[in-house]
Each structure stands twice: as structure tokens, then as C-alpha cells.
């Protein structure tokens, strides 16, 4: 299967920890990357590979993977982390694929 | 500074064609694989197409295969998406995105994105 499945919405209390998950068969063979998108903006890469952050991404963002599930964890969520988060990978035919996205609310 | 600037979007009638462009600067364009990704209003990201650095390898999403054509001109530092037989469901913001080079990471890394260009298909 080339699908990646995410929960549509997640909420977290300010300063607490939240995990956003992404499931798909392709994740058994390929890492997911994670993107943050705020309204009216282009997506921004926040995590890639095993657990790598691009320059400028706060270290409260981390990634992990087990079996067919990739996870994005935000430790100590801030108000500015409220956004849509998408996972992305490739399938066995080399096509790229995105998860449906998770809307994160910080309360 | 890496920059990707899309252009060519607009209002187009169903069944007509449109060509999107993505102008790249700030990096060696010919060394990077590129993608088109779209986002319908209020919806999630949808991968559209991929092209290798040389242009020799191309992939399409099933939803656009046979109608869209991706291409690049490395001499002009430009990526293109020719969209034919457009449908209402093709209405979206279209982003070009640079795929990062990594020999260590098995996966896809879209490290840089343009700001997108809006395509509206309507009569």
C-alpha cells in the first residue's frame, strides 16, 4: 500500500508533550519526513530521517520510527507550534506520498 | 539563499491547459531532484510529480498521469508542469519542492518549498 495514515486532529496543553503518528506499509522500509504548515504558508520541513532536524528547527521537535509507524514528538509544546503536520515518504514504486495531515491545537 | 518561485497559475476552464513554472536560484539546480506538490482549498498536501536531476526519471500520481507532464531546463534553472485536460478537482495551490540529497536517509526529504501558485479550474 502507498498510503500514509494520520489522525486528523490532536490537541495538547501548553508546555506538555504531544506525539503525532503516521502509519503505512512503506514506513517499514523508508523513513518518514515531517512538515509543519501554518495557514497561508508553504510547508516547512521539521524532521527527516531517523531523527534529524534542519537548521533552525527547535530541539523540542523529535522523530522516531517503529515498524510501520513514524512519530513526531513535540516536547513542551508552544503556542507557535499550532499548525497542520504532514508526514511524507516514498512507496515501493518510488512514488512520493503524504499522510492526510494532523491539525495540532495547543490549548 | 535557496529560492523557488512558482508562476503560471490562474483561472482556467475545464478541459483547457496551463503551464506552471518554478524558477530556482541560490543552488546548483542541475544537482537536485524536484517535485510538484499541490493542496486543494482546505485540504491536505498531495504529491503530484517527481523528476530526477537529469530529467531521465519521472513519476506521476495516478490522479494526474496521462494529463500532466513534468519537465526541467537545467540551463535555465527552471522546473515546469504542463497541465492538460484540466478538471475542477485540479483546483489547488501548486508548490515546487526541492528534494534533498542524502545517501544516509532512505526516504524523501523535501527541504525547500516555493510559496505556491494557485490554479483554479472553473467555467
Amino acid at each position: 500500500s502507498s498510503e500514509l495514515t494520520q489522525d486528523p486532529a490532536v490537541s495538547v496543553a501548553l508546555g506538555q508533550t504531544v506525539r503525532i503518528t503516521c502509519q503505512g506499509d512503506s514506513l517499514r522500509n523508508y523513513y518518514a519526513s515531517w512538515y509543519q504548515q501554518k495557514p497561508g504558508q508553504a510547508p516547512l520541513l521539521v524532521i527527516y530521517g531517523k531523527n534529524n532536524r534542519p537548521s533552525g528547527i527547535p530541539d523540542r521537535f523529535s522523530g522516531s520510527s517503529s515498524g510501520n509507524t513514524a512519530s513526531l514528538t513535540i516536547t513542551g509544546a508552544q503556542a507557535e507550534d499550532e499548525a497542520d503536520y504532514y508526514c511524507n515518504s516514498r512507496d515501493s514504486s518510488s512514488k512520493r506520498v503524504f499522510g492526510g495531515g494532523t491539525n495540532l491545537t495547543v490549548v | 539563499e535557496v529560492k523557488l518561485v512558482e508562476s503560471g497559475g490562474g483561472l482556467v476552464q475545464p478541459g483547457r491547459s496551463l503551464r506552471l513554472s518554478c524558477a530556482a536560484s541560490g543552488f546548483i539546480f542541475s544537482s537536485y531532484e524536484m517535485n510538484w506538490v499541490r493542496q486543494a482549498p482546505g485540504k491536505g498536501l498531495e504529491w503530484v510529480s517527481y523528476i530526477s536531476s537529469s530529467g531521465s526519471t519521472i513519476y506521476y500520481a495516478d490522479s494526474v498521469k496521462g494529463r500532466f507532464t513534468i519537465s526541467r531546463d537545467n540551463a535555465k534553472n527552471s522546473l515546469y508542469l504542463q497541465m492538460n485536460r484540466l478538471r475542477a478537482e485540479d483546483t489547488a495551490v501548486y508548490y515546487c519542492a526541492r528534494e534533498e540529497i542524502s545517501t544516509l536517509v532512505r526516504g524523501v526529504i523535501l527541504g525547500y518549498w516555493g510559496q505556491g501558485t494557485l490554479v483554479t479550474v472553473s467555467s
Side-chain angles (χ1 to χ4, degrees):
Chain A
S1 170
S2 60
E3 292 183 353
L4 296 178
T5 301
Q6 298 182 240
D7 291 329
V10 171
S11 64
V12 61
L14 184 67
Q16 296 304 299
T17 296
V18 62
R19 182 158 65 180
I20 298 169
T21 60
C22 173
Q23 287 188 303
D25 288 344
S26 63
L27 299 182
R28 296 185 184 279
N29 299 303
Y30 301 103
Y31 286 112
S33 53
W34 290 92
Y35 306 85
Q36 175 192 72
Q37 188 181 34
K38 297 181 179 179
Q41 296 184 16
L44 174 70
L45 177 70
V46 294
I47 289 289
Y48 66 93
K50 192 173 183 181
N51 181 18
N52 300 287
R53 281 176 290 107
S55 175
I57 301 302
D59 60 6
R60 63 179 179 272
F61 288 88
S62 63
S64 62
S65 183
S66 178
N68 72 336
T69 302
S71 300
L72 171 70
T73 300
I74 307 174
T75 304
Q78 302 299 303
E80 61 264 32
D81 300 333
E82 190 161 288
D84 293 325
Y85 290 87
Y86 296 90
C87 60
N88 165 241
S89 190
R90 52 172 287 181
D91 66 16
S92 56
S93 62
S94 296
K95 292 182 179 181
R96 280 62 178 147
V97 60
F98 283 95
T102 298
N103 178 255
L104 176 66
T105 301
V106 180
V107 299
Chain B
E1 179 197 4
V2 172
K3 246 186 142 183
L4 298 169
V5 180
E6 302 91 340
S7 61
L11 175 63
V12 61
Q13 293 179 328
R16 303 298 289 266
S17 299
L18 207 59
R19 188 197 198 203
L20 305 183
S21 299
C22 171
S25 61
F27 64 100
I28 302 173
F29 180 70
S30 59
S31 295
Y32 287 84
E33 302 160 343
M34 299 293 295
N35 290 264
W36 285 101
V37 177
R38 69 184 180 182
Q39 187 169 36
K43 303 296 184 182
L45 300 175
E46 179 188 14
W47 172 77
V48 173
S49 185
Y50 157 96
I51 187 167
S52 63
S53 56
S54 66
S56 60
T57 301
I58 286 172
Y59 304 116
Y60 296 101
D62 290 344
S63 58
V64 306
K65 195 169 185 179
R67 300 187 300 122
F68 289 12
T69 302
I70 191 172
S71 62
R72 64 190 297 161
D73 186 335
N74 286 341
K76 294 184 177 180
N77 293 333
S78 292
L79 175 72
Y80 305 101
L81 186 67
Q82 176 68 43
M83 304 185 296
N84 297 333
R85 304 199 308 274
L86 282 161
R87 306 167 180 167
E89 54 264 37
D90 295 320
T91 294
V93 173
Y94 285 74
Y95 297 100
C96 62
R98 189 182 90 170
E99 196 161 315
E100 301 309 295
I101 301 168
S102 176
T103 56
L104 298 177
V105 175
R106 281 171 57 84
V108 176
I109 308 168
L110 300 178
Y112 289 90
W113 297 64
Q115 282 305 301
T117 186
L118 175 62
V119 173
T120 303
V121 184
S122 175
S123 54

